[in-house]
Amino acid sequence: MQTPTADRLAREGALFQNAFVSAPSCTPSRAAILTGQYHWRLGSTANLWSVLPGDLRTYPEELAKAGYFTGHWRKAWGPGTLGKPRTHDPSGPTFKGFGDFLKAPHAGHRLLLARRV
């Protein structure tokens, strides 16, 4: 089968030879990444269109408590609803791209940047 678009993505982007997810669906995968837990430990949070309970700790929120500025591009948590007392996406504010993230006011915050290798 010829796959010119997929071939171009692999050539110009990042190609993962051995990548695994804990669940073959978006919401449980995002919940697992945000919390660092397997989706089967997250109860109803691992269902599509579920609730992310306010008492479930996430890495971005813990980083924010430690003084780091976090954010995301495109989709982070969801689809689903945020449980109280959460009022915003636990991944931080949405940015149009990495450049906009770097331009955002970070006064009093530390930046934790990941470098592509």
Side-chain angles (χ1 to χ4, degrees), residues 8-81:
R8 180 177 174 207
L9 282 170
R11 203 172 41 253
E12 296 177 11
L15 175 62
F16 297 94
Q17 298 288 343
N18 293 301
F20 304 93
V21 295
S22 67
S25 181
C26 56
T27 306
S29 290
R30 289 187 185 105
I33 291 168
L34 284 171
T35 63
Q37 297 186 43
Y38 288 112
H39 71 281
W40 47 263
R41 291 193 53 174
L42 299 173
S44 63
T45 302
N47 295 327
L48 189 60
W49 289 102
S50 63
V51 175
L52 183 63
D55 61 347
L56 194 60
R57 295 169 54 190
T58 68
Y59 281 113
E61 290 170 322
E62 292 300 312
L63 287 170
K65 287 179 191 174
Y68 288 93
F69 183 75
T70 63
H72 65 91
W73 173 56
R74 295 193 177 180
K75 198 183 282 187
W77 162 252
T81 347

